[in-house]
């Protein structure tokens, strides 16, 4: 029923920038908090950033604070992840996800999300 489609991934040199987009279907997008996760080779899926349904509050993993910015445009049913000062260790498949219930607060746990996109590959070369 609900579909999330990520885009904007690619190959970039260290120090460069990328902006990921996640387009969501559904008429209640604005009532759900959203999150970004990533999964690097040989590692489990890890939290990157989350944003409240209104966009008024955000949360970030320590590893990306000061470099990444999550935002959303509820009129376009889209959430973004602006990634600056990219490092090789940022290389991963990036996923967007929707919280399990409307108006839920942000969470960093994968179990707190019920719909996931297919993912978009981000590769940072040194």
């Amino acid at each position: 029923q609900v579909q999330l489609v990520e885009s904007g991934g690619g190959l970039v040199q260290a120090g460069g920038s990328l902006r990921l987009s996640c387009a969501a279907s559904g008429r209640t997008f604005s009532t759900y908090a959203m999150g970004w996760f990533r999964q690097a080779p040989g590692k489990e899926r890890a939290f990157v950033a989350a944003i409240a349904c209104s966009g008024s509050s955000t949360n970030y993993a320590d590893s990306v604070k000061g470099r990444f910015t999550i935002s959303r445009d509820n009129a376009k049913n889209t959430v973004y992840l602006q990634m600056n000062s990219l490092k090789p260790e940022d290389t991963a498949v990036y996923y967007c996800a929707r919280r399990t219930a409307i108006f839920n607060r942000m969470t960093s746990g994968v179990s707190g999300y019920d719909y996931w996109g297919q993912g978009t590959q981000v590769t940072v070369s040194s």
Side-chain angles (χ1 to χ4, degrees):
Q1 183 177 355
V2 176
Q3 296 185 39
L4 305 174
V5 181
E6 302 96 335
S7 63
L11 190 152
V12 64
Q13 295 184 37
S17 299
L18 285 173
R19 189 177 78 155
L20 306 183
S21 298
C22 175
S25 65
R27 65 186 70 176
T28 59
F29 175 78
S30 63
T31 66
Y32 288 88
M34 300 289 293
W36 283 97
F37 292 76
R38 65 186 181 186
Q39 188 162 17
K43 297 184 178 180
E44 296 185 359
R45 191 167 299 185
F47 172 75
V48 175
I51 187 167
C53 58
S54 67
S56 60
S57 298
T58 58
N59 190 39
Y60 298 91
D62 289 341
S63 59
V64 305
K65 285 182 179 178
R67 300 189 297 120
F68 291 11
T69 302
I70 187 172
S71 62
R72 66 191 297 162
D73 186 340
N74 287 341
K76 296 181 178 180
N77 274 26
T78 303
V79 61
Y80 305 95
L81 185 68
Q82 178 67 46
M83 305 184 294
N84 298 326
S85 302
L86 284 163
K87 305 174 181 179
E89 48 263 47
D90 294 319
T91 296
V93 176
Y94 284 71
Y95 302 87
C96 66
R98 193 193 77 174
R99 289 285 276 112
T100 55
I102 61 172
F103 304 120
N104 274 197
R105 67 180 183 181
M106 299 177 293
T107 183
S108 61
V110 296
S111 62
Y113 298 82
D114 61 352
Y115 284 94
W116 297 80
Q118 293 291 303
T120 185
Q121 176 71 47
V122 172
T123 302
V124 184
S125 62
S126 60

